[in-house]
Amino acid sequence: MTTVLIADDQPMQRFGFRMLLESQDDMQVVGEAANGAEAVRMVEQHRPDVVLMDIRMPGLDGIEATRRIVAAGDRTRVLIVTTFDLDAYAYDGLRAGASGFLVKDAQPEELLAGIRAVASGDAVVAPSLTRRLLDAYVHHLPEAARADQAVVEDGRLAALTEREREILTVIGQGWTNTEIAERLHLAESTVKTHVSRILAKTGARDRVQAVILAYDTQLVTPS
């Protein structure tokens, strides 16, 4: 059973999410929060597997709420539900530790699949879509800011082998495991092993965070 907390300031949105989730035999809604502060408190109380997190909420917004939930170090993972025209917000949410994001007008089956993926430890956002989002946002960062980030984050790459650094680079470029296996002439099981080691060595929570790391350290630059 996957437990879910819904955090959204719109009652009708929360109601819609609840109705959908409660129609599933493998999901249970453990609570609803109308703002970020409530979400943080309710996560401490219920320790859900997944939080469906809105970004724009009164008081404590979804970005800061995500940051606090992730910083607590519990098993709860955050799935941000937003719109793609808010690229900067989505990027900030991922950097805060969210495991991915979806659009609010996503099909019901997409939302359900996203929740299950996040609960199992995967990222929700497709690598190619993640790259387009980060390209759109990072392209507008001042060069000095990018350089500063690279200096701060570069130490996280020190433990990687040459092959792992290569694979992290192409993950940042939006390659799937299948594409990596085909283009680098590796078994897909070997690629999965490399990806797992990259996440462990860099402290990235999932593939989305690995993409962000690739950008921060300038292994990948905006197109």
Side-chain angles (χ1 to χ4, degrees):
M1 184 68 67
T2 299
T3 55
V4 183
L5 174 70
I6 301 168
D8 197 296
D9 65 334
Q10 298 296 322
M12 285 300 295
Q13 187 71 64
R14 296 197 304 271
F15 177 78
F17 284 151
R18 177 180 281 276
M19 291 292 291
L20 174 64
L21 301 186
E22 290 185 341
S23 71
Q24 304 299 300
D25 293 336
D26 62 337
M27 293 188 186
Q28 177 185 5
V29 177
V30 295
E32 298 180 14
N35 56 60
E38 285 185 6
V40 173
R41 287 196 300 270
M42 295 185 75
V43 165
E44 293 176 352
Q45 179 181 356
H46 298 289
R47 306 216 185 296
D49 297 309
V50 179
V51 178
L52 286 186
M53 183 74 75
D54 189 20
I55 289 180
R56 289 184 167 178
M57 293 185 288
L60 193 71
D61 65 20
I63 302 297
E64 182 58 30
T66 296
R67 186 174 292 111
R68 296 185 186 185
I69 289 169
V70 172
D74 206 347
R75 65 188 179 90
T76 299
R77 301 173 71 85
V78 178
L79 172 57
I80 288 179
V81 185
T82 183
T83 55
F84 285 135
D85 60 337
L86 298 175
D87 287 348
Y89 288 110
Y91 181 81
D92 286 346
L94 295 176
R95 287 186 60 83
S99 295
F101 61 90
L102 294 174
V103 289
K104 279 194 173 181
D105 60 355
Q107 294 297 313
E109 58 269 22
E110 292 177 305
L111 178 62
L112 294 172
I115 293 171
R116 293 185 178 105
V118 166
S120 68
D122 292 332
V124 172
V125 186
S128 59
L129 182 56
T130 304
R131 184 186 179 195
R132 290 201 299 272
L133 173 67
L134 295 179
D135 272 352
Y137 182 66
V138 178
H139 182 71
H140 295 92
L141 287 175
E143 290 291 339
R146 281 182 241 161
D148 288 345
Q149 288 177 344
V151 171
V152 171
E153 298 286 350
D154 191 63
R156 297 167 64 184
L157 302 180
L160 298 183
T161 65
E162 183 176 348
R163 174 63 88 179
E164 289 166 349
R165 186 182 291 253
E166 179 184 21
I167 290 176
L168 176 58
T169 300
V170 295
I171 288 174
Q173 292 172 344
W175 294 18
T176 64
N177 285 352
T178 300
E179 290 171 333
I180 295 172
E182 291 175 351
R183 298 180 189 182
L184 299 185
H185 307 290
L186 299 170
E188 191 161 347
S189 59
T190 301
V191 173
K192 291 179 180 178
T193 298
H194 280 307
V195 172
S196 295
R197 288 175 178 169
I198 290 167
L199 298 182
K201 289 181 178 181
T202 62
R205 286 166 55 88
D206 49 41
R207 198 184 190 95
V208 172
Q209 298 297 308
V211 173
I212 293 174
L213 175 63
Y215 273 79
D216 280 348
T217 56
Q218 298 186 344
L219 289 178
V220 179
T221 56
S223 59

